[in-house]
Amino acid sequence: MKKNSNSNSNDDTDGPDPPDGGWGWLVVLGAHVSQALSLGILTSCGPIILEWQRFFNTSLAVTSWVFSLTALMGAIITPFAAGVASKLGSRPLVMCGGVVSFAAFLLSAFATSIEQLFAFMGVIMGIGLGLIYAPSLLVIGIYFKNRYTLANGLAFLGICTGQLIFSPLFVYLNQKYEWEGALFIFAAICCNCIACGALFRPLKRKHKKSSQMVTAQRVDDVYTEVDHGIAADTVDGRGQTYADIEEDFQERQKAAKGFVGALKALAEAFAIPVCVSNHTFSIYLICTFFLGTAYFIPLTHLAKKVFDGGLTEEDAAWLISAIGAGSFFGRGGHGWFVDKRYISAQTFMLICVIFAMVETLTFVLTNIFTVLMVVCFLFGIHTGVVVPLTFVIPRLLVKAEQVPSVIGLTLLIHALGNAVGPVLGGWLYDITGNYLIAFIVASGIYGLAAIFFIPVCRFLWKEHRYGPITDTTSWRQPEPTRRTKPRVTQGTTRSTTMTTV
């Protein structure tokens, strides 16, 4: 049979495969620093909140709204940033996010009321965070496939770098220059996000069929119907000519680009069709919200909890740094174990969620600095595994083409939990006058996350999906049984496997 010479022209042209190295490691470096300058600062906010509460003479719940608004605005911007990044690339968004974050810190240094901090450090910084966070993670999936979990973990290590550096750095700068001067210096540091974004060089992507090719294909289909016996002037027995068909087709294309098309695009951007059709992923989103809520309660309120217990601000800052140090091991090491298939991603995550639940409860049982340092280090290890795997598990639950929108929705739900956590902890503190109930509730929320994550694990175990993927062919499926070709002996016309009638 003669092969159609035009068949290749109708196919999408593929760009290069993810290099899994090379320039990709510089992309990982840029993502690492970007995470340090965005979420790294946000998760080191304990000493800053303590200082703002004293300066503005506000309640802890009100002061906690500053970084809750940051997380909330980041949650709102994140899915839009993920959608735009899939079209324009991550480079321009991360560079713009660096400029916005610089402006947020600079304006916050001139704040004279807590309401101004809500606007500058809450809203504006949240916009910058959303522009940096999702694009700097999505670009990892473009450059890495087989080593995705390792690269993703190294990028997430930036949060640990931020926790290690910025919490004690703020205490030092606050003692030397007051909190206003500290924010001036933080603004200058955030400018490095612009250089990080410049490292996100785009790779060639797949090209979609042009509208002319689609129209030509539709016309070819019409002529094919004519060749099979349909009248040359009509195609469906209702008197429609070729021109009528093409006109109707173009009108439907225009309608699709209108209001209905916009609603469909919006629903796809928020992965609504995936949530409706994939119930396992919907359950996982509930787990993601609980994980985001429980994670931010200790990070935000641990500094004040130990300060009320008699420790100094420097001690509180070093405890946050201990969490960051532990996260280095968790975030940096988990990818190697999962990529080598020593343990499945879902099993690793479930074990670490249970350990984080126990460690969160331990925070209220002691106020001895050395014991707290050990607990904080272990808490950092286990949450350092949980947070990056939170965005690896969705890749095991959905198809490859659904990954960008699904990751954006997962980031949104997780960030909403981040916004609820600080306010919930501050509200419980204002009601009870201590942190006992707040940390017990945080531990219970980790328990709820584990409960909702168990059916997700059972589904993945049943489907034999164990590791990070970017397409469905990477799932570990049973090998199909190979059928051997029957042997035919010389001089016979029948296969040796055929039976005699």
Side-chain angles (χ1 to χ4, degrees):
M1 181 181 291
K2 185 178 178 180
K3 188 178 291 186
N4 187 3
S5 60
N6 295 330
S7 61
N8 293 336
S9 63
N10 290 337
D11 294 334
D12 292 342
T13 59
D14 294 334
D17 292 331
D20 274 319
W23 186 268
W25 295 119
L26 289 179
V27 172
V28 171
L29 175 63
H32 177 96
V33 178
S34 298
Q35 294 296 312
L37 300 180
S38 54
L39 269 184
I41 294 178
L42 183 64
T43 54
S44 306
C45 59
I48 304 177
I49 288 181
L50 193 61
E51 185 63 28
W52 284 339
Q53 184 189 12
R54 287 197 297 252
F55 186 86
F56 295 110
N57 194 24
T58 56
S59 67
L60 189 60
V62 172
T63 311
S64 299
W65 267 107
V66 175
F67 285 105
S68 290
L69 284 174
T70 306
L72 183 61
M73 287 303 302
I76 296 173
I77 296 297
T78 289
F80 294 102
V84 174
S86 64
K87 302 294 183 181
L88 303 180
S90 298
R91 175 185 282 177
L93 290 178
V94 174
M95 296 178 73
C96 290
V99 174
V100 174
S101 299
F102 163 77
F105 274 109
L106 192 63
L107 292 173
S108 299
F110 294 99
T112 57
S113 66
I114 194 67
E115 290 78 12
Q116 291 178 358
L117 280 179
F118 290 161
F120 301 148
M121 186 57 67
V123 177
I124 299 179
M125 183 64 186
I127 295 174
L129 175 66
L131 293 175
I132 295 171
Y133 184 51
S136 63
L137 294 180
L138 290 176
V139 73
I140 301 297
I142 296 175
Y143 274 86
F144 290 90
K145 180 178 180 180
N146 297 326
R147 298 179 177 177
Y148 174 79
T149 302
L150 176 62
N152 187 58
L154 292 175
F156 265 104
L157 274 176
I159 303 176
C160 314
T161 303
Q163 292 172 340
L164 262 174
I165 296 175
F166 293 124
S167 185
L169 178 61
F170 176 80
V171 173
Y172 170 77
L173 294 176
N174 180 55
Q175 293 174 350
K176 197 171 184 65
Y177 304 110
E178 301 296 333
W179 66 268
E180 296 92 342
L183 292 186
F184 267 115
I185 298 175
F186 273 59
I189 294 174
C190 278
C191 289
N192 289 283
C193 281
I194 301 173
C196 294
L199 293 174
F200 298 157
R201 187 171 62 189
L203 292 175
K204 293 181 180 180
R205 307 297 297 276
K206 292 183 178 181
H207 302 288
K208 295 182 179 180
K209 297 179 182 180
S210 62
S211 59
Q212 292 84 356
M213 295 173 63
V214 175
T215 303
Q217 183 178 356
R218 182 62 182 269
V219 173
D220 290 341
D221 293 341
V222 172
Y223 281 109
T224 301
E225 291 177 355
V226 174
D227 292 339
H228 281 82
I230 302 177
D233 57 341
T234 63
V235 296
D236 61 355
R238 292 179 296 178
Q240 283 190 310
T241 64
Y242 309 134
D244 293 335
I245 292 177
E246 290 304 317
E247 184 178 357
D248 293 341
F249 179 66
Q250 292 177 2
E251 288 179 356
R252 286 195 296 270
Q253 280 188 316
K254 293 179 181 179
K257 295 179 181 178
F259 179 73
V260 176
L263 289 179
K264 182 179 179 180
L266 184 63
E268 291 178 352
F270 282 90
I272 302 301
V274 181
C275 295
V276 174
S277 60
N278 193 332
H279 300 297
T280 305
F281 176 69
S282 300
I283 296 173
Y284 179 72
L285 288 179
I286 301 174
C287 169
T288 300
F289 176 79
F290 286 143
L291 289 175
T293 302
Y295 179 57
F296 255 60
I297 292 178
L299 289 179
T300 307
H301 298 289
L302 181 61
K304 181 167 175 55
K305 184 263 175 190
V306 298
F307 182 76
D308 291 346
L311 299 182
T312 64
E313 291 185 20
E314 290 81 2
D315 293 336
W318 283 114
L319 290 176
I320 301 297
S321 295
I323 295 177
S327 296
F328 262 107
F329 291 92
R331 296 174 192 265
H334 83 280
W336 185 80
F337 287 98
V338 175
D339 283 341
K340 294 293 184 180
R341 302 295 176 89
Y342 293 130
I343 187 172
S344 65
Q346 61 269 20
T347 305
F348 206 178
M349 181 173 169
L350 179 61
I351 293 172
C352 291
V353 169
I354 295 173
F355 273 108
M357 175 186 68
V358 176
E359 289 148 4
T360 303
L361 187 61
T362 308
F363 285 135
V364 300
L365 301 179
T366 182
N367 208 47
I368 302 173
F369 178 73
T370 54
V371 176
L372 287 174
M373 283 289 288
V374 174
V375 176
C376 286
F377 184 78
L378 294 175
F379 180 77
I381 291 177
H382 296 125
T383 55
V385 174
V386 170
V387 174
L389 286 183
T390 301
F391 307 104
V392 172
I393 296 298
R395 293 174 173 267
L396 302 172
L397 298 174
V398 301
K399 297 179 180 178
E401 62 270 15
Q402 298 171 333
V403 167
S405 61
V406 160
I407 293 295
L409 180 61
T410 305
L411 289 168
L412 170 63
I413 299 300
H414 193 265
L416 286 175
N418 296 159
V420 172
V423 177
L424 176 62
W427 177 69
L428 291 173
Y429 175 83
D430 290 337
I431 291 177
T432 61
N434 58 67
Y435 276 113
L436 177 63
I437 301 299
F439 279 82
I440 291 176
V441 168
S443 179
I445 293 175
Y446 268 124
L448 286 174
I451 292 173
F452 277 94
F453 190 53
I454 288 174
V456 178
C457 292
R458 292 182 62 185
F459 170 79
L460 294 176
W461 292 328
K462 181 180 178 181
E463 296 292 324
H464 304 284
R465 304 177 188 177
Y466 301 122
I469 61 168
T470 52
D471 56 74
T472 56
T473 61
S474 298
W475 291 337
R476 183 184 293 178
Q477 300 287 1
E479 291 290 335
T481 304
R482 299 186 63 180
R483 303 178 63 181
T484 58
K485 188 176 181 180
R487 297 177 60 187
V488 179
T489 59
Q490 187 175 3
T492 62
T493 58
R494 290 178 178 271
S495 168
T496 57
T497 59
M498 296 180 65
T499 58
T500 304
V501 179

